[in-house]
């Protein structure tokens, strides 16, 4: 796609697509949203939604909403247990089919997120990025993205960030259509749901921690 067409899509077309698609999806999926909400309420109690501050464009915070998949339980030391210990069987099923992500369509409608873009991670990660990795915040975060369809949580953090920055430089209408189609295939195949040995992904500690792990393996 010529640069001029990509520029038009990035400025106007992408947001128009997000508005139309998220509004239509929220209307069509309203019965499914209600069923999942009732199942979460029955199995996990209140609140039904998990809400957390996440970084959007330029790292500005917004409140992300997803269906709860974990119990809020602590150990004998009063510290919250690891994700694997808190993740429920219902939560695993919701994550396997990406049903926990349905409320984020509201974030897309509001303009906090896009259908396609780098995944919104934790606010605490912002100072840990290299300048190149931080470029992932030049665009709206997405429900799905180039990293999600190329390995999802089976990738390392460094691999994810390289794919995120590649998307920032190459985003276009046809690339977004390709990612949305590949996302559907990935969800049906339930691939890359978690990293090895983790319920989702290990914490991102920054490039220095990665270098230390490499040195310890080589030593």
């Amino acid at each position: 796609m010529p640069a001029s067409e990509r520029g038009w899509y990035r400025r106007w077309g992408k947001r128009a697509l997000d508005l139309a698609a998220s509004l239509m999806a929220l209307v069509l999926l309203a019965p499914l949203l209600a069923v999942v909400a009732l199942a979460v309420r029955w199995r996990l109690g209140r609140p039904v939604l998990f809400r957390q501050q996440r970084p959007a464009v330029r790292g500005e915070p917004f409140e992300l909403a997803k269906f709860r998949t974990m119990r809020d339980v602590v150990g004998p030391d009063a510290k919250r247990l690891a994700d694997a210990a808190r993740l429920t069987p219902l939560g695993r099923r919701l994550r396997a089919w990406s049903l926990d992500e349905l409320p984020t369509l509201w974030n897309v409608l509001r303009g906090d997120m896009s259908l396609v873009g780098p995944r919104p991670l934790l606010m605490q990660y912002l100072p840990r990025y290299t300048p190149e990795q931080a470029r992932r915040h030049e665009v709206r975060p997405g429900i799905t993205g180039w990293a999600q369809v190329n390995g999802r949580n089976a990738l390392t953090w460094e691999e994810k960030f390289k794919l995120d920055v590649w998307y920032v430089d190459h985003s276009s209408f046809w690339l977004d259509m390709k990612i949305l189609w590949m996302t559907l295939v990935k969800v049906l195949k339930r691939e890359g749901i978690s990293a090895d040995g983790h319920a989702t992904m290990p914490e991102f500690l920054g490039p220095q921690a990665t270098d230390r792990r490499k040195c310890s393996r080589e030593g």
Side-chain angles (χ1 to χ4, degrees):
M1 177 180 289
S4 59
E5 293 183 30
R6 289 201 304 271
W8 180 90
Y9 177 68
R10 293 177 187 182
R11 286 195 300 270
W12 309 104
K14 188 173 177 67
R15 181 60 187 146
L17 174 64
D18 287 340
L19 279 170
S22 61
L23 181 59
M24 184 181 301
L26 284 168
V27 171
L28 294 177
L29 297 174
L32 179 58
L33 281 159
V35 169
V36 175
L38 288 172
V40 173
R41 175 69 178 84
W42 179 42
R43 291 291 188 180
L44 298 179
R46 295 179 179 176
V48 169
L49 294 179
F50 167 78
R51 299 178 184 273
Q52 189 177 59
Q53 292 283 302
R54 297 289 178 92
V57 180
R58 297 180 296 279
E60 295 295 326
F62 75 98
E63 187 176 70
L64 176 78
K66 298 170 65 174
F67 282 123
R68 280 182 64 201
T69 58
M70 297 184 184
R71 291 190 175 92
D72 192 13
V73 292
V74 297
D77 56 358
K79 292 184 179 179
R80 182 176 290 179
L81 298 179
D83 288 354
R86 296 188 295 121
L87 187 62
T88 64
L90 172 64
R92 284 191 171 87
R93 288 193 289 272
L94 293 180
R95 289 189 178 204
W97 294 102
S98 296
L99 295 177
D100 61 316
E101 303 278 355
L102 290 178
T104 57
L105 289 167
W106 175 247
N107 290 119
V108 175
L109 188 64
R110 282 170 45 92
D112 302 320
M113 296 177 61
S114 177
L115 292 175
V116 180
R119 288 286 293 169
L121 302 175
L122 300 178
M123 295 297 296
Q124 68 203 52
Y125 290 177
L126 289 177
R128 303 176 186 176
Y129 296 129
T130 66
E132 180 69 7
Q133 291 169 348
R135 294 191 58 225
R136 67 194 306 278
H137 294 293
E138 292 178 9
V139 297
R140 283 188 178 93
I143 294 179
T144 186
W146 191 233
Q148 277 59 52
V149 298
N150 283 283
R152 201 175 174 182
N153 287 334
L155 298 171
T156 66
W157 283 118
E158 289 71 24
E159 290 168 337
K160 278 189 173 188
F161 297 149
K162 286 181 180 178
L163 291 169
D164 287 341
V165 173
W166 186 91
Y167 174 80
V168 170
D169 291 333
H170 296 86
S171 61
S172 68
F173 173 77
W174 292 112
L175 179 58
D176 281 2
M177 293 301 101
K178 178 180 180 179
I179 291 172
L180 290 171
W181 170 251
M182 291 175 69
T183 298
L184 177 61
V185 174
K186 290 283 184 179
V187 169
L188 293 176
K189 290 183 176 181
R190 292 182 284 178
E191 294 177 343
I193 297 169
S194 61
D196 290 342
H198 296 270
T200 52
M201 280 289 291
E203 181 180 358
F204 173 62
L205 299 174
Q208 292 181 345
T210 301
D211 292 341
R212 286 196 297 269
R213 287 196 299 269
K214 288 180 179 178
C215 289
S216 64
R217 286 198 299 267
E218 291 172 0

